[in-house]
Amino acid sequence: MLETNNQKILQVRDLAVHFPVFKGMVFKNKIGDIKAVDGVSFHVFAGETFGLVGESGCGKTTTGRAILCLDKPTAGNIMFNGTDITRHDKNMLRQLRREMQMVFQDPFGSLDPRMTARDIIGEPLLIHNVTKNRAEYRDKIDHLLEIVGLNPQMARRYPHEFSGGQRQRIGIARALSINPKFIVCDEPVSALDVSIQAQIINLLEKLQEAFDLTYLFIAHDLAVVRHISNRIAVMYLGNIVEIADRIELYQNPQHPYTKALLSAVPVPDPAVEAVRQHLLIEGEVPSPFNPPAGCKFHTRCPYAMAVCKSKVPLLGPVDESEHMVACHLARQPTL
Ligand code: SF4
């Protein structure tokens, strides 16, 4: 994990991404919106890994896609290196594609099965005219294969000839090929065996140090982001409910949802695990089409109070620190 400088490479302010829902086959009437992301603000320092955690459907992947201009924001803005990228034109988008890349969750589904590893990794080089001739193109791809731990002689193989971990290495090589500054890692290890997960996390850390990369690391459980992240934001139903430094979040979680996610992370010491209290959250995540009023977590929160059903808890500091939480109980203990 890199020491970060204090330069904010990314600032997300009040980001909302809503998807309209229509009814009717011929005359389509809009009947509402799926509020996938519903007012999210955070920043990422250059050189850090910022973890974004939450259950499936909480809006973390949509947040990542909006940052990469793959989903259009409904409201809010995203500043990358001081430039508002939500108002992008084609030229800006082209430049952005060079600076921001993505590593996908499914290393098999994200690689074209008809292309060789060389063609997959080389595609961005051709799109952005990075290499001058065929020899330089091949050398660059061989070098990329080596730095992600693959033998350049594998360049002519197709995705199905690689293991899951090797395919994810190809996806990482493709993302690195045009020297980006910022990479959105969208659940990059969740489709892999546990034994392979650590190898890919270690590779990402090594590459971060070697190439001064900044990561937005998306995951559905806190165990995975624990090792790699400098700071972590926890998302629930389109909102960030807690942001803190990694160690602070693990040692002093404030939001009941964060506490529940943490209690699902097993502790290696069986003696500690045996006496540890677990906070279980019942029920399913409500639909983002019709989210609960007030605190969106109140339908599942064991500590819900009357105020939680009507008043939205705002994200604010815990004891005037950098630790931020959105919970009436945590921020206003006298309520
Ligand atoms: Fe639970 Fe209320 Fe806090 Fe929401 S605001 S997490 S319902 S205590």
Side-chain angles (χ1 to χ4, degrees):
M1 201 189 311
L2 274 189
E3 287 299 315
T4 64
N5 61 45
N6 279 335
Q7 185 212 337
K8 291 174 186 168
I9 191 170
L10 182 82
Q11 286 176 279
V12 177
R13 293 195 197 117
D14 299 322
L15 178 71
V17 186
H18 296 177
F19 299 106
V21 178
F22 297 95
K23 197 175 177 188
M25 294 294 282
V26 183
F27 300 106
K28 293 193 170 177
N29 292 322
K30 186 180 166 193
I31 56 167
D33 288 296
I34 293 196
K35 294 172 181 162
V37 179
D38 200 21
V40 157
S41 300
F42 64 92
H43 57 264
V44 181
F45 293 115
E48 82 167 333
T49 297
F50 186 81
L52 199 53
V53 183
E55 285 165 286
S56 172
C58 71
K60 54 193 189 306
T61 293
T62 308
T63 301
R65 288 179 57 85
I67 289 166
L68 294 174
C69 302
L70 298 172
D71 282 332
K72 198 169 164 45
T74 312
N77 58 31
I78 300 165
M79 309 284 288
F80 182 72
N81 267 338
T83 303
D84 186 350
I85 61 172
T86 33
R87 320 260 174 276
H88 58 261
D89 58 21
K90 267 191 181 167
N91 279 342
M92 186 196 283
L93 197 59
R94 191 176 166 80
Q95 181 59 27
L96 274 178
R97 290 272 174 271
R98 288 202 64 162
E99 299 190 5
M100 303 165 94
Q101 287 287 303
M102 190 160 190
V103 173
F104 295 89
Q105 174 180 8
D106 176 0
F108 196 58
S110 64
L111 305 181
D112 188 331
R114 297 160 301 179
M115 291 170 75
T116 63
R118 174 172 289 133
D119 292 340
I120 290 167
I121 297 167
E123 196 175 30
L125 298 174
L126 297 177
I127 291 170
H128 292 279
N129 273 328
V130 175
T131 46
K132 293 191 210 77
N133 51 49
R134 192 79 195 158
E136 192 184 336
Y137 173 82
R138 292 173 77 99
D139 286 350
K140 172 96 179 163
I141 292 167
D142 287 354
H143 180 57
L144 283 162
L145 283 165
E146 273 173 6
I147 60 179
V148 298
L150 293 174
N151 188 330
Q153 289 180 350
M154 295 172 160
R156 292 170 70 176
R157 292 192 193 168
Y158 290 87
H160 73 270
E161 297 176 87
F162 292 95
S163 68
Q166 287 174 329
R167 284 196 288 265
Q168 195 54 293
R169 287 173 194 267
I170 293 170
I172 293 168
R174 178 177 58 184
L176 276 183
S177 63
I178 47 176
N179 304 324
K181 293 188 174 75
F182 181 85
I183 298 182
V184 174
C185 303
D186 184 10
E187 305 242 18
V189 297
S190 59
L192 304 176
D193 290 347
V194 175
S195 58
I196 308 296
Q197 288 185 359
Q199 292 175 15
I200 297 297
I201 297 268
N202 290 341
L203 173 66
L204 286 169
E205 284 188 313
K206 200 177 86 184
L207 296 173
Q208 182 176 45
E209 199 161 342
F211 298 104
D212 285 336
L213 296 167
T214 304
Y215 294 143
L216 176 70
F217 195 99
I218 295 171
H220 64 267
D221 72 76
L222 279 162
V224 171
V225 293
R226 180 177 201 153
H227 181 70
I228 195 168
S229 302
N230 297 81
R231 292 182 305 129
I232 298 171
V234 179
M235 278 190 86
Y236 184 79
L237 213 51
N239 297 107
I240 288 179
V241 297
E242 188 159 8
I243 303 181
D245 168 81
R246 172 181 69 113
I247 295 169
E248 167 71 8
L249 192 85
Y250 281 87
Q251 291 182 349
N252 186 27
Q254 294 290 314
H255 198 281
Y257 181 59
T258 311
K259 290 178 185 175
L261 288 182
L262 277 172
S263 57
V265 177
V267 171
D269 184 340
V272 176
E273 182 65 33
V275 294
R276 202 161 68 106
Q277 284 196 333
H278 289 269
L279 179 62
L280 294 176
I281 299 292
E282 310 258 316
E284 298 290 316
V285 184
S287 165
F289 181 67
N290 187 20
C295 173
K296 290 180 182 171
F297 189 57
H298 83 253
T299 53
R300 302 172 75 198
C301 179
Y303 309 110
M305 306 166 286
V307 66
C308 306
K309 295 181 183 166
S310 56
K311 191 173 170 195
V312 176
L314 301 177
L315 193 68
V318 177
D319 298 331
E320 298 178 19
S321 68
E322 298 286 313
H323 187 163
M324 310 275 279
V325 68
C327 172
H328 295 308
L329 192 65
R331 297 199 50 227
Q332 300 168 40
T334 51
L335 267 176

